[in-house]
Amino acid sequence: MKLIFPPRDFQLGQAMEPPIASSNSSGHGGNSSSGRGPMHFGGPSQNPSNGYFSVVNRNRPTALLLDGDRIYRMVQKGILQHYGVDTQNVDNGTAAINVLMGNSFNLIVIDINLPDMDGPEITRQMRAMGVGSKIVGTTSCWCERDRQAFLNAGADEFFEKPLSSETLLIILTELDGGYEA
Amino acid sequence: MTTACKGFLDEQFLQLEELQDDANPNFVEEVVTLYYRDSARLILNIEQALERNPLDFNKLDSLMHQFKGSSSSIGAKKVKAECTLFREYCRAGNGEGCIRTFQQLKKEYATLKKKLEAYFQLARQVGPAETACRPK
């Protein structure tokens, strides 16, 4: 199942002819093959000077993947990118914090065990920094105690690895802006 | 996935095959090769940890947590099951159970390696479209 996203060369803030009557109230469009116009995130906003609608369009959704295991990073990144998510990998919490200094992501996936700190701790630090991304904690062996630790630290969800297609679809659908499969 | 691999691999392996395309024609084999390379070190670490007296069950559990993560990433079903059992023995403080399970784990690990090597050899001969399992 492929998720459809706007092409990479779509210009941010590109103005479109008004109005797009078929847009739904949340501002989500459909894919171009259905004739409903290009898909976008966020709603249309009208420019008061010319009446044109601008589609505030983010590029493809982004994810930051934190895991100490090279194999898992390689596989999960491949899967996320297959679903149209631009994914960056880091293998420790300190590197993740450095990346977040200058970048934001729609989704952050954090393993319970990182070489320099545990997943809940890095989650806590991210939230303290003001990171508002959806944070998903992961483990290779599900445990209620770890789940609670992650949620108490500010994570949104917790799953056992590897993330199945169904789980990924749920996670991606819940991201801000929504998705169409 | 060939019939020979069934039971040893789960749907995660099919996900890996879905990632293969013209840009990454050997993705699965590359991942599996890396897995066996990286996990060889982990297995050695676990073996060394199992020789200690007394056993450090926290250390063993942590090592096996990592090994399970890698194994599940490639869909190594039976290896993953032994990892889970090993961790249960760790939590119970059962050293003999850990040692016994680890022996079985290494057998499953070696068996899977042989099957995958044969699978990739076959794939190279007939082409990936003939050997990959495509969902309907």
Side-chain angles (χ1 to χ4, degrees):
Chain A
M1 182 187 296
K2 282 213 182 287
L3 301 176
I4 314 289
F5 295 107
R8 285 176 182 271
D9 60 357
F10 191 94
Q11 299 294 317
L12 282 172
Q14 183 174 327
M16 296 175 68
E17 292 290 339
I20 305 170
S22 60
S23 295
N24 62 29
S25 58
S26 64
H28 296 172
N31 59 44
S32 53
S33 63
S34 69
R36 287 183 284 148
M39 183 169 190
H40 57 271
F41 292 92
S45 60
Q46 190 172 26
N47 186 323
S49 63
N50 58 22
Y52 274 27
F53 280 86
S54 296
V55 176
V56 177
N57 205 327
R58 276 181 264 158
N59 286 326
R60 286 159 36 120
T62 55
L64 179 64
L65 184 58
L66 278 83
D67 200 291
D69 177 22
R70 176 165 70 150
I71 306 302
Y72 179 76
R73 287 199 307 271
M74 190 173 168
V75 169
Q76 197 63 62
K77 180 176 178 175
I79 293 173
L80 281 165
Q81 294 198 150
H82 181 71
Y83 280 115
V85 182
D86 285 337
T87 305
Q88 188 168 340
N89 278 345
V90 288
D91 62 2
N92 66 82
T94 306
I97 294 294
N98 289 338
V99 166
L100 286 167
M101 295 286 189
N103 300 279
S104 62
F105 298 87
N106 300 107
L107 171 67
I108 301 175
V109 182
I110 307 175
D111 188 51
I112 184 81
N113 280 345
L114 294 167
D116 52 351
M117 60 184 88
D118 65 29
E121 176 54 33
I122 187 68
T123 302
R124 204 169 288 116
Q125 288 189 26
M126 286 179 181
R127 290 304 192 208
M129 281 168 64
V131 171
S133 314
K134 183 177 183 76
I135 295 181
V136 171
T138 60
T139 179
S140 64
C141 192
W142 198 91
C143 162
E144 180 59 30
R145 186 184 61 192
D146 291 341
R147 175 180 172 272
Q148 281 305 322
F150 257 117
L151 296 183
N152 290 342
D156 297 291
E157 306 203 55
F158 178 73
F159 293 104
E160 184 172 300
K161 298 187 294 190
L163 302 177
S164 66
S165 316
E166 292 78 13
T167 301
L168 263 179
L169 203 55
I170 291 168
I171 292 169
L172 297 177
T173 304
E174 288 172 353
L175 287 183
D176 183 28
Y179 287 74
E180 282 190 19
Chain B
M1 200 190 308
T2 64
T3 309
C5 288
K6 280 185 183 170
F8 290 86
L9 295 167
D10 60 27
E11 57 276 0
Q12 176 69 10
F13 190 82
L14 298 178
Q15 279 231 59
L16 296 191
E17 289 187 316
E18 285 291 305
L19 300 181
Q20 282 196 160
D21 55 22
D22 292 338
N24 296 290
N26 303 309
F27 180 75
V28 182
E29 189 169 0
E30 284 168 11
V31 170
V32 168
T33 301
L34 268 176
Y35 164 73
Y36 276 99
R37 192 179 303 163
D38 286 4
S39 57
R41 178 182 46 82
L42 266 175
I43 284 184
L44 184 61
N45 290 343
I46 295 169
E47 274 173 345
Q48 288 171 347
L50 282 171
E51 285 166 6
R52 297 221 165 92
N53 190 12
L55 292 177
D56 182 345
F57 289 107
N58 285 335
K59 174 82 174 169
L60 284 167
D61 187 63
S62 175
L63 287 169
M64 193 52 74
H65 177 102
Q66 194 178 341
F67 187 62
K68 186 184 173 190
S70 292
S71 303
S72 63
S73 296
I74 69 158
K77 186 175 174 181
K78 288 192 176 189
V79 174
K80 190 170 87 166
E82 295 302 327
C83 292
T84 301
L85 190 55
F86 184 97
R87 294 192 77 199
E88 285 170 14
Y89 281 124
C90 278
R91 284 179 195 148
N94 185 335
E96 280 184 21
C98 286
I99 291 167
R100 199 170 51 242
T101 306
F102 188 60
Q103 296 309 315
Q104 184 60 29
L105 183 153
K106 286 195 290 184
K107 281 184 190 163
E108 298 294 352
Y109 175 84
T111 302
L112 178 63
K113 188 176 183 187
K114 286 193 180 121
K115 287 185 180 293
L116 285 170
E117 281 168 352
Y119 172 69
F120 291 128
Q121 194 169 11
L122 178 66
R124 279 192 284 274
Q125 286 168 6
V126 303
E130 300 298 323
T131 52
C133 177
R134 299 277 182 249
K136 297 202 170 23

